[in-house]
Each structure stands twice: as structure tokens, then as C-alpha cells.
Amino acid sequence: MSQVNRLATGGRIDRAKPMSFTFNGKTYQGFDGDTLASAMLANGVGIVGRSFKYSRARGILGHGAEEPNALMQLHKGNATVPNPRATQVELFDGLTATSTNGWPNAEFDIMQWVGIIGGKLMPPGFYYKTFMAPQKMWMTYEKFIRKAAGFGKLSLEPDPDTYDKLNVHCDVMVVGAGPAGLAAALEAGRSGKRVIIVDEQNEFGGTLLGSKQTVDGVDAAAWAEQATSELAGMANVTAMPRTTAFGYYDHNFLCALERRTDHIGPVALAGTRQRVHRIRAHQVVLATGAIERPLVFGNNDLPGIMLANSVSTYINRYAVVPGQRCVVMTTNDSGYQTALDIQSAGRTVVAVVDSRHAPDGRLVEAAKVAGIQVMAGHGVIEAQGGKKVTGAIVAPLDEAGDKVTGAGKTLSCDLIAVAGGWSPVVHLSCHTGSRPVWQEDVAGFVPGPTIQNQHLAGAVAGEYGLSQALNAGIQAGATAAGTECAQVFNCGDESEGAAQALYLVPHTKPISRAPKQFVDFQNDVTAAGIELAAREGFQSIEHVKRYTAMGFGTDQGKTGNVNGMAIVAKALNKSIAETGTTIFRPAYTPVTFGAIGGRDIGVLLDPARHTAMHPWHVANGAEFENVGQWKRPWYFPQAGETMQQTLNRECLAVRNSVGMLDASTLGKIDIQGKDAREFLNRVYTNAWTKLAPGKCRYGLMLKEDGMIFDDGVTACLSDHHFLMTTTSGGAAAVLAWLELWHQTEWPELDVYFTSVTDQWATCSFAGPNSRKVLEKLCTDVDLSAEAMKFMDYREGTVAGIKSRIFRISFTGELSFEVNVPADQGHYMWQKLMEAGEEFGITPYGTESMHVLRAEKGFIIAGQDTDGSMTPYDCLMGWAVGKTKTFSFLGERSFTRPDTARADRKQLVGLKPKDPTVVIPEGSQIVMDPNQPIPMDMMGHVTSSYWSECLGHGIAMGTVKGGLARMGETVYCPLADGRVLAAEICSPVFYDPKGDHHHD
Amino acid sequence: MHHIYCPYCEETREEEEYSYTGEAHIERPKDPASITDEAWGDYLFFRSNPRGIHHEMWFHAAGCRRYFNATRDTHSYQIHETYKMGELPTITAKTIAADTLAAQQGDAS
Amino acid sequence: MKKYSGFSLFKHSLSHHENWQAAWRSPQPKKQYDVIIVGGGGHGLATAYYLAKVHGITNVAVLEKGYLGGGNTARNTTIVRSNYLWDEASKLYDHSLDLWKDLSQDLNYNVMFSQRGVLNLGHNLQDMRDIERRVNANRLNGIDGVVLNTAEVKEIVPVINDSQDIRYPVLGASWQATGGVARHDAVAWGFARGADSFGVDLIQQCEVTDIVTEEGAIVGVQTTQGFIGANKVACVTAGNSGVMAAMVGLRLPIESRPLQALVSEPVKPIIDTVVMSNAVHAYVSQSDKGDLVIGAGTDSYNGYGQRGSFHVVEHTLSAICELFPMFSRVRMNRAWGGVVDTCPDACPIVSKTSIKGLYFNCGWGTGGFKATPGSGHVFAHTLAHDEAHPLAAPFSLDRFNTGHLIDEHGAAGVAH
């Protein structure tokens, strides 16, 4: 295929580097430097897709971020990307693209008949008014609606690419590298400040690249190249093309997406595909430019109707003229430039249709001199054509542009270039809560007041002229950098006549009866739809947006919003300023999920914490459980075992000989200071005044509402030195809690907290032979029952390593914990395993630990408690000091009416009536299983296991008033229909007198 | 994304280093046993939650691990000041209202 | 009220849709009402609707400082379910779910309630214990729900990552098939149109600047449109409840926080149900338009700015890409924030106050949308009888003094 619309010369494309690509299965040629859109236009591609609701044929409207129609399905297989705009896709050799809508294809689409026939029945809000009966049918209707909706498709395969992020700081961040941005960056860069300048396009320059103007006598594009290369030479300036600032967050934090490889191929061959720059800037210069508005007239969505400025850009930058015979419809002088561009590209300008009655000025004169027909006081009221525009119906308008005043005539054409004025790109300025304000003289919304350190330059502030933009830019750069600058740019004569603020070109018929006049192309929102919304009482601009879906598209209304607001304002007889604008939200243009997620996926989603002994556990076949961020051995299966068999073996080893648990994950907080003891008195429920050095004590920690928050054993190492242990998952919260109280309420207490969880490794070994194991390795501590009692602490040497030895037990057996510096943990574990070999020492995991402690009725905070349990609810009143002088945290809450109730849920033991049964954890407990639903639930099963040493199932659970119900039978009705009966009993199933751990 | 000055570190650091820990200057009752359930409930749960100037605590969790106070506008997210535990704010809703009034009167005259 | 139907659409199409009536009037405020409802969001409008419909109280004004349904109603991810843990909460939400089922026909407005089911994933053993507990409680309360294993989750959501080798693998889920989503704006508009048809005055752009009391009783409100009298004032002002309370010197057990949400660009159907995960802080569904609708976490700080911090969104999308590795290449179209009034026990306040005639309905946290009809229904009862509806009684302000909290954190956490 030849590139029928390609000019022989000019443009910023490299004709020496042809590239082939396919669109909808057909192969075409383009050049290096093309966008997919410019290459499609060069090849005369008209229809790029079908519209959302009416399935109308659509072509390319714009040339950048504003494009509403040309949404592509890019690439194939797992690399496919739904919905990028062809205008923002850089061409590479072998690129494949298809339309996102249209069946069987965009050219010959069946759904268009639904649009043509059903369109009348589908005004805005039609679905609110129908499909109501019968209710059951809604989801059937919905299935068809869902199928028809959506644009592109996702692959079902995982993303083959990776993404990353950079945190960066700078003095001056410049968004946009058009004339204003380049000037700002140059000035800030020359001052030596750290500058970042980003632009969404592949090269810096913005409008300069497609301009025929000059800057201080230099061609605009050449000036842009000079400026870019000067910036590139500054070490303090980071210049990033292909990088879109998509979000502006509080305190001058901006996020920018850098597309690193999308211009090279479907997937990154090396490194990351895209990168999010998280930028904290002292000063921000927004030089985001402006977007041309289309005009609203009948059938203004036909392929071949384009923004005038885009037509100029395609001609000047890409050497593509997207038509042979062109009508330019304009409300201002900029349309004339396009007419001149078309003519100098050797194509026919049928007429410039200008809504103004007496246009004059430099460009108007130039057009007239060039022999272009100017139809002043006229408008294109309707376009003609089917799949492509074939003509424009042009009619005279009154001065205000409100009415058609005479007969229309049809101009034959294949391109209508529309210049409806400009909308500043205010999007980023809105993200931090600033509201744009309507500025009558620029006929557009400009950024409103803000508390951010933000400066505006160029078209974003309504400064549309080239020299205006450059001069505003250099001044903004100077202000942001804290310098002064006297430089003034000269771009020759830029005078323009006054523009007319016209949005909707009137038709001979009223809006409701005229051919569809589109406002939002992507969402098929028409002027009639907006009028209807207003008629139905949707008068706030936000209501109109929501009722019609105007601005809800992936273009976020970049071309349509202002026209829509003008139509609303007119329908309500208000000004646009009174009607106001909807607010823009991040992202300015869509951002890949994966890029926002960055590297924090896979194993890096959340760091996994491993103990010093982890390699041993892995080598010995442990299955792991996630506990907080920790990976803890869950159980150590041997070949051929079921999980239950493993647990039975592990538990029996502890009960009969010795087993060992890696307890390193328990939180450890080192507490020092002469008031440490007093501090513990305040944060724990029990008394610490008399705990002697070398002794340990179990403590319960409450929140101020009286509910259990954490628990653990704290050892007194010396009079002013304690070691607190916490639950594995609660360590960080407990440390913050202690620090909170110390720093905010009791700063007078002399106490210091240090997390030492990671500094110590803990081997916990339990069972009747545990002492024998330890005695083999430790000779400098008297470990006899008389010398080292239950809850004693000693320092000693174990296997040659200085250790902390605790005689504490979570299993009910004689048990020791040896703490050693973490880097010796693996060694100590191995030594203990070796020493225990003759006793059959058995490593066990968290599951057996749970069984063993449940046999003893010990709670696990977070499993048996849920933030609604007091110590008394857990039958742990013994752990609450009754005579403490200081009202410890949570104590006051015990006497609140609800906390003092006798019939609160209490944690009791549950013995299944059928000894072979293990009641599922989470079962709800009722007294009468035959009552109708809803049942009166008494509580639930918090922990439940098979106890091999007892030979029956055991459970713990909460039961309302359970303490007073000992011996009563409760029932657990299960989902599978079984009802399991259990007897309420003491939660201490094993060794109720506690002989074993005192041995 | 707040950028917060830690009065202890004397540096402005990213929000992610900090955690927010609620309204500032709520004192624990000196003798909890002597107060009513209502007063205790008020201390536990009831907060002023203003739209505008708020004195609140932040915790430099991934920094110096100190709690400190901030005077922050909960609508604009502007941080007017941060100050150490035990200190009082120099900027309050009242001082801001007075400043605004003075500025307006200044404009008028 | 002119009835909406397929036929009315056809009829109006013949006249080019030029003759549709306004969905509601735009009245001037009267001097005095029986009840003033402050806040024209979903809950306030539902309250007005049921006050008129169920209790026959029609001399009612709804005062809205902005536009109807413009607060959190307009900003949420529209999930409807009732599988809460505690009896009090699950009964209230299930009452709401019952009303949802016939809401479109009741209102003659298609709120697009779509029962596509809700999955709450479990990622560790404690999650699964909690899920078992909650589903068992639901079942015995007559609320539908089952516990699914990983394979059963995969069957319902084929695109989910069911690998057990990932950081937080999916171990199972609770599944409420009767849960789903609805069209949020339509809910507000449907209730507005319904309330208006009974004569309720919906007054927009009318901000309440003060609540006026005499001798400890309500006499009316000062507004930007002048004083309006009423002996009963009901504040249904999510995101501003603390501000309203402060007008009469009250404080509430509420902190107002930003809650963020985002949508992708529209894509062809890929996920049919609602998938929620507390543990990795993400939930997702797909709208009829094709957007992936994703809820992010609550920001930690108080904030009325209707925007939050970026790292919360980053965290959520990491989790989403982990759960759905093919979503990595779709693009975020728009992110936004609402203001949620969070209570210490993650349950609402539907309550009288110490001031006679002043009522609050607030504190719905991150999950108020699903409660819209139920909340309005029980609150209307409370207003009409000056006594709490039995389902609303547990949600009084008193509970923060007695300690009778309904701690739904386990069931609520982040995701709703």
C-alpha cells in the first residue's frame, strides 16, 4: 500500500527508515517518527473504531492525549494492551493494532444497526427508566449490556513485563516541554537549581515542532532542538521525554510515568517497561499547554472531521495531509493557519467557514491573499456522509452564533478541520483540590488558586501566543528558581483578531430534532442528551456529567467538557462561570496498573521475615505458615505422613520425651531504666513490683477499653532491666504502644525500649527430657529443679555460646528456652538437635504448639481473643492485679455496664460428646440445635484440635455466661448438616494441677 | 502525600515514614476510677474531628520513633506547624481566624 | 409522578424526548417543616422516602449543601452484601439487602442492583478461621453464605491467581451469592424522585450553617437560604457529621478519613463477581461499562479533602496485580477520594442525641452504600416514633459509654 496522504518532503519523520505495521489485519507502511495515528492517516485509514453506545463509525479527531476515538488493541498475546490512543503510540516496525469495538469489524459493523434503530430509544438515563420488571431479568439484560460495553480486551496471561519506581527530589519540576516549559527549564537550569522537566511526547518541543513561526529569528522547531540540547548539557537538569506527569499530590508531590520501551516493541527486551517517578519538588511549573476544542454540530463525529490544530500538526510534523478537499470551520484565527497549512501542502481548501461576521487580522488577510474562500458569519451546521465525511452543510448564522439565519448550502469535502477555541490543560492543577475558574477573555477554565508552590506558564494560563508562552515560561522558571531574568523573546507579528466564544453551532432544527450533535465522542453524549438531562432536573454540572456520562471516558472529557458545560449553561440560562466545571482527578492520562504497583509484587509484595534457623527448617521439609510477616514452620512432615499423623508424632514427642520449636519470631522488647518496673505496672494488668531479678512473669496487656491486646512473658534481667516478649504478629504494635504511653503521658518515667526481636534467636524445647538435653550442653548453670525453678531466668553458656536461659512453658511440660545472638541461632539449633538425638528430639511447628497449649488451656491472643474479650472473659482474672495503686491501662473499663455483665461471652473448654470428633474452628455454638433460624448464638469455637495424648478432640470457645454453665451441653450446627454436641468444661484438659511444668 | 517536618529529627520527610495517631492533647484522666462512665467514654472515643485546623499526633515510626504534634488543616492538608510532645501549638483555629480578619481589614483600609 | 417504562421511552421517542418531566421539583424552602433532613445523599434521601411512604410524614425537607447524591454516594465502589459477623450488624445489613431486592420496582427507577455475588478472600489460617466463624454466624442468622476452598474460588473467578507459592496465597473465601453491586447514582436519584413524588422538598445548594436550639430542644436550622424551622432535625451527613455535631457543641466518636477508589479503562468482561481481600487491602468488581472498579484502603489521617495519599493506591494496585497478574497491563483511568466517618467499632450510629429532636445517622465508615435502603428505612422509623427501630437500637450513641460496642473490625477492616 502506498501512503496516499504522505507528503514527499517535510515533517519530522525519517523516510530512510520505513516501518511496516498492521491495523485490523491489513499491512501498512509508515516511517520512523510517526505515531500510529499519523501512519494510519498517511495510509488513508478512515474508520478507526466504533462508538460505545450507538456503534457509529469514528475516525481520528486529534493528535495527542485528547484523542477520544482512536482507542487501539495493541500487540498480541500476553503483550496485548487495551485502549491506548493511536495518537500516543509511537510506530515501530512490526507493530500490530486492531480496533477495540465493532463486529465483525469496525468497517462493517452489525451493532451500528442497533445504534441506528435503537438510538432513539437510548437517550441518557434510558436504562434507569426500563429493564425494571421483572427484577430477575435485570441480570439477563445486563449480560448483553456488559458484552457490548468495554473497549479492549485483557490477555488472560500474566504480564510478561516488569516495572519499577524512582524516588526523586528537585528544586524545580517543569511539566511540559513546549515553549513555556522549555523556557522555564532553561532559566531554572541556568541558575544551577536541580531541575526535572518531563514531557509526554517522544521529543521535546510541543507545539514548536509543528509550528511555522520563529523564535528570535530561528525556526521554532530548530529553537526547540537548541533548547533541548542546552538542557541536555546541564548536569543539574534531568530531561525526560516520553514521561507523563499524571498526578499532582499534596505538598508538591508529583508522579510521572516514563515509558521506557513502548516505542521499541511490545515487551521490554531488557529492564523495565515503564517506570513511575515519585517526585518531591520544591517548586512546580505547570506548562501543560492547551487543547483545541471541536465544535458541536450535526454528525460532527464522522471520520474526516478533525481538530484544525491536529490537521496542522499532521501536516507540519508528520508530513501527512489527512484529506484532499478541506473545509475549515473556525471561531477564531487559528483555523486560518490550518487553512494555510493545507494549501501549502498542495491540497484544496474549499472554504474557511468563520462564525464571526467580520474577521480580520494578520492570518485572515494571509488566507485571503492566498486565495482561500472565507465565509464569514457562517457555520458548518451539519456534516454529511456515511463512513466518511463527504460534505459540509454551511449556513449563515446571526452575530451571536445562536441561530441559523438563511438557507444552507453543501460544500463537498473529505475533511472538515474544526477550530473551536482552546481549553487550557488544567487537569494537574485540580488534583490537589484547587478548582479551575472560568476566564471570559480566554474563553476557558484556567487553574484556580492553590496552596501548592505552583507556577503557571503559557497556554495553561490562557497565554496562547508563542512569545507570550516563552516569556511567561522564562519568568516562571526565574520565579521558581528564585532568580531574576530580563530576557524577552520575540516571535514576530503574532497579532490575532478576537475569537468568538461559540460551542454549539446552531442547526435549522432544534437540538432535540437535529442530527446527532456530539459533545463527548467516546461516551456518545450529544447536545440533545445534555439538554434532556437539564430538562429532567439534572442541573448541577456534576449531575449532568453523571446522568449523561459526559467526561467519564478515558479522555476524561479533554475535548468535550467545556462544550458540554456551555450547553448546560445555555439550557439553564446561566453563565459558564455559574455552571462551573467538574473536577479532574488523577490520572491525566491512563497509567498502567503494573507501573503503579512497581516492584512490590511477588515475593516483594510484603517482605517475608525468616528466623536464623530458617535454612534448617527448609532443609528438614517444614511446611510454613504466614504469621504476620514471618514464615514460621507449621509442621515437619515425614515421608508418608498425613498432617494429622505428623502432629500426633510431634505432640507425643513433647509429652513423652522432648520436642523443639523455633520461637524466634516472638517479639522481644528490651526495657531498661530505673522506672521500668513502674512502667510495666501501668501497661500490664498484673503487678511487677516484686518480680525479682532472675524471675519471669506472664502478663496481659489491654487497650484502654479493657480488651486484651497482647500477652507474653517478661523476664527481670536485673532490677532496672527487663526483657518483654510479645506475640509474633503484635511486636511492632506493642512497641509503638509502649512508646506512645511513655512519650505522651509518662515522660517523667526513666525507661527505654529497644526492639531486639531480630537480635536474638530462640530455641524452645519442651518435654520431660528437655532438662537432660540442656544439661549436656550447659555446665555453668545449675539446672536442677531445685536450683532453677519454673519461671526462672539464668545467664549461662550453652554449647559454648553465652545464652539467656528461661525455664518457661507454653506446652505444660518441663520446658526451656535458650536465647542466643541471632547469628548463632542456627548453630545452637543444630547443637540442641544433636544433643537431643539420643532422646529422639523432635522439631515441631506452630500447629503442634497450638495443640499443646490448647491441651493446657493457654490462649493465643488474636485467635481465642478478638478485641472484644477482657481478661475476665478469658477466665484470667488471676492475671489482674486487684490492689495496684496505679490504674493500669484498661482497668477503668471493667466497670462499664456492658463490661461488667455476668453473661458476657466467656472462654471455656469444650469437650466433644463424641470423642472421635474434632469440632471445626469457627463453629457457632447454640444451646438448642432445633430452634428455628435465626438461632440464638451463644458464642463460637476459637480453637479445636485432636489431642493424641488424651485420645479425644478438644476445643476452646466463647459461650455467653459460660463460666456458670460448666457441665452443660452445647451444640454446633455445621454447614454440612451435622450437629456436634460438646460439654462445657475447664479449658485445662491436660495436667490440670500443673505438675509437669513444675517437675 | 504529606511532607512532614519532624521536630526531633529537624528534617522534612515523606509521609510513609510516619503514622498518624489521632487527636493531640487528650489527657488520660488522672484518677480514672473517680470519673463517670460518660467521662471515661468521652476520653476513650469522642473526638473533635474538625474540618479545618486540627491538632494531632504523628509518630515518626520509620525515623526517630518519637511522637510529636502537628497543626494541620484537614481540608487543605496544609501543615502549619509541628511541635514536640508537651508543647502547645502556636497556631490555632483562633489565631488563623484573627490573622484572616486582620488581613481583610488591612485590605479594606 | 409519571411512571417510567419501556413504553414511556418509546412514547417519548416519538416526540424527540422533548416532553420528559423533571425527575424532581426544585422548590423554595418553606418556613417550617415537620422534619428536616440535613444531607441529600443516598441515606438522607432514603430516609425522606421511607418517612413519607411508610410513616406518612411528608412535610419534610432534605437540605443539601451541594447536589443530590454528590458526596460518598457518588464516590463509592457500590458493593452490597450483608455477611457481617455480629448479630446486630448482620441483621441491619440483611434488612437492607431485603429492600435492595425489590428496590428498582418500588422506586420505579432501575438502580441496577446486580446480584453477582461477593467473595471475601482468606490468605492465612486466621483469616480462614474468621471466615468460618462469620459464615457460620451468617448461616444461623438466615443469611446466605458458604466457605469456599481455593479451587472453588478459582471456579467462580477463573482469572484469580490460585498459586500457593505466592506471598499471601488464596486459601479460600466466604461467598455470598446474593451480594453484588448497584448503580450508585441511580440509588440517590431513585430515592430523590420517589421522595419528591410524596411531596418532600429537596433543596439543593442549601448549606446548613447552624442548628438552632431553644431550651435543649431543636427549633430549626440556619442555612445559606435563611432560617428553616422544624422540631426534628436529622443529620445524615457522612463526611461532615463531626462538623454538624460541633454546631450544637456535641462531639461524636467519629474520625473522618479519606477513602480512595479508582477505575481502570473499560475492558471487555473479565470478572463477574465482587472480590474482596482484607489481608492484602484490595477489592475489585467490573462495572457494566467495563471499568475495573477498585477500592483502596483508608488513609490513616483525618481528612476532608476528598483525596488521599498516593502510596495507598500503590499498595492496592500491587495487591491487585498479585491477585490478578493479567490486570497488570490495564491502565488506571481515574482515582478519587471520599470522606468516610469511621467509628471505633466500625459500626454506624443511628441514634437520638442528648438534644431533643436532634438525630444522627452517621459513622457508616467505608461501607455505608450497601446500607442505603435499610439505613433510611430504620432511621425513618426512629424519626417518626422518636424511638429507635429495633434493628437500629444497638447502634445508639450510648454504646460508647456502656461499652456495648459491636466490633466489626474483623469483618470490616478495610474492604466493604
Side-chain angles (χ1 to χ4, degrees), chain A residues 120-121, chain C residues 8-17 20:
Chain A
K120 287 289 266 182
L121 295 173
Chain C
S8 73
L9 261 180
F10 173 72
K11 195 184 75 183
H12 280 286
S13 76
L14 300 179
S15 56
H16 306 271
H17 301 289
W20 287 101

Short mmCIF file of all heavy atoms in Angstrom, two decimals, chain A residues 120-121, chain C residues 8-17 20:
data_model
loop_
_atom_site.label_atom_id
_atom_site.label_comp_id
_atom_site.label_asym_id
_atom_site.label_seq_id
_atom_site.Cartn_x
_atom_site.Cartn_y
_atom_site.Cartn_z
N LYS A 120 -32.87 6.09 19.06
CA LYS A 120 -33.95 6.96 19.50
C LYS A 120 -34.45 6.56 20.89
O LYS A 120 -34.99 7.36 21.63
CB LYS A 120 -35.12 6.88 18.52
CG LYS A 120 -34.87 7.57 17.20
CD LYS A 120 -34.84 9.07 17.37
CE LYS A 120 -36.22 9.67 17.09
NZ LYS A 120 -36.18 11.13 17.22
N LEU A 121 -34.31 5.27 21.17
CA LEU A 121 -34.81 4.76 22.45
C LEU A 121 -33.75 4.81 23.53
O LEU A 121 -33.96 4.36 24.64
CB LEU A 121 -35.29 3.31 22.29
CG LEU A 121 -36.49 3.12 21.37
CD1 LEU A 121 -36.76 1.64 21.15
CD2 LEU A 121 -37.72 3.80 21.97
N SER C 8 -42.96 4.10 28.02
CA SER C 8 -42.83 5.56 28.12
C SER C 8 -41.62 6.03 27.32
O SER C 8 -41.67 7.09 26.69
CB SER C 8 -42.75 6.00 29.58
OG SER C 8 -41.50 5.68 30.15
N LEU C 9 -40.59 5.22 27.31
CA LEU C 9 -39.42 5.58 26.49
C LEU C 9 -39.80 5.67 25.02
O LEU C 9 -39.44 6.60 24.31
CB LEU C 9 -38.33 4.51 26.64
CG LEU C 9 -37.18 4.76 27.60
CD1 LEU C 9 -36.25 3.57 27.58
CD2 LEU C 9 -36.42 6.03 27.23
N PHE C 10 -40.54 4.66 24.59
CA PHE C 10 -40.94 4.63 23.18
C PHE C 10 -41.83 5.83 22.85
O PHE C 10 -41.63 6.52 21.85
CB PHE C 10 -41.69 3.31 22.91
CG PHE C 10 -42.29 3.26 21.53
CD1 PHE C 10 -41.47 3.11 20.41
CD2 PHE C 10 -43.66 3.40 21.35
CE1 PHE C 10 -42.03 3.08 19.14
CE2 PHE C 10 -44.22 3.37 20.07
CZ PHE C 10 -43.40 3.21 18.97
N LYS C 11 -42.78 6.08 23.73
CA LYS C 11 -43.71 7.19 23.51
C LYS C 11 -42.96 8.52 23.41
O LYS C 11 -43.17 9.31 22.51
CB LYS C 11 -44.72 7.22 24.66
CG LYS C 11 -45.95 8.06 24.40
CD LYS C 11 -46.84 8.11 25.63
CE LYS C 11 -46.23 9.03 26.66
NZ LYS C 11 -47.00 9.08 27.92
N HIS C 12 -42.03 8.71 24.35
CA HIS C 12 -41.29 9.98 24.36
C HIS C 12 -40.34 10.07 23.16
O HIS C 12 -40.00 11.16 22.72
CB HIS C 12 -40.51 10.14 25.66
CG HIS C 12 -41.35 10.63 26.79
ND1 HIS C 12 -41.78 11.92 26.89
CD2 HIS C 12 -41.87 9.99 27.87
CE1 HIS C 12 -42.53 12.08 27.98
NE2 HIS C 12 -42.60 10.90 28.59
N SER C 13 -39.93 8.93 22.64
CA SER C 13 -39.02 8.99 21.49
C SER C 13 -39.74 9.58 20.29
O SER C 13 -39.14 10.21 19.44
CB SER C 13 -38.46 7.59 21.18
OG SER C 13 -39.45 6.80 20.53
N LEU C 14 -41.05 9.40 20.26
CA LEU C 14 -41.82 9.94 19.13
C LEU C 14 -41.84 11.46 19.15
O LEU C 14 -41.96 12.10 18.11
CB LEU C 14 -43.25 9.38 19.16
CG LEU C 14 -43.35 7.85 19.05
CD1 LEU C 14 -44.80 7.41 19.12
CD2 LEU C 14 -42.68 7.35 17.79
N SER C 15 -41.73 12.02 20.36
CA SER C 15 -41.66 13.49 20.45
C SER C 15 -40.24 13.94 20.76
O SER C 15 -40.03 14.95 21.42
CB SER C 15 -42.66 14.00 21.49
OG SER C 15 -42.41 13.38 22.74
N HIS C 16 -39.27 13.14 20.30
CA HIS C 16 -37.86 13.50 20.43
C HIS C 16 -37.45 13.79 21.86
O HIS C 16 -36.57 14.61 22.11
CB HIS C 16 -37.53 14.70 19.53
CG HIS C 16 -37.92 14.49 18.11
ND1 HIS C 16 -37.07 13.91 17.19
CD2 HIS C 16 -39.08 14.74 17.46
CE1 HIS C 16 -37.71 13.81 16.03
NE2 HIS C 16 -38.92 14.30 16.16
N HIS C 17 -38.10 13.12 22.78
CA HIS C 17 -37.75 13.23 24.21
C HIS C 17 -37.86 14.67 24.72
O HIS C 17 -37.19 15.05 25.66
CB HIS C 17 -36.34 12.68 24.47
CG HIS C 17 -36.20 11.25 24.07
ND1 HIS C 17 -36.79 10.23 24.76
CD2 HIS C 17 -35.55 10.66 23.02
CE1 HIS C 17 -36.50 9.07 24.17
NE2 HIS C 17 -35.76 9.30 23.12
N TRP C 20 -40.21 15.03 28.53
CA TRP C 20 -39.97 14.38 29.83
C TRP C 20 -40.12 15.41 30.94
O TRP C 20 -39.68 16.56 30.82
CB TRP C 20 -38.57 13.79 29.90
CG TRP C 20 -38.36 12.55 29.08
CD1 TRP C 20 -37.75 12.48 27.86
CD2 TRP C 20 -38.75 11.22 29.41
NE1 TRP C 20 -37.74 11.18 27.40
CE2 TRP C 20 -38.35 10.38 28.35
CE3 TRP C 20 -39.41 10.64 30.51
CZ2 TRP C 20 -38.57 9.01 28.35
CZ3 TRP C 20 -39.63 9.28 30.50
CH2 TRP C 20 -39.22 8.47 29.44
#
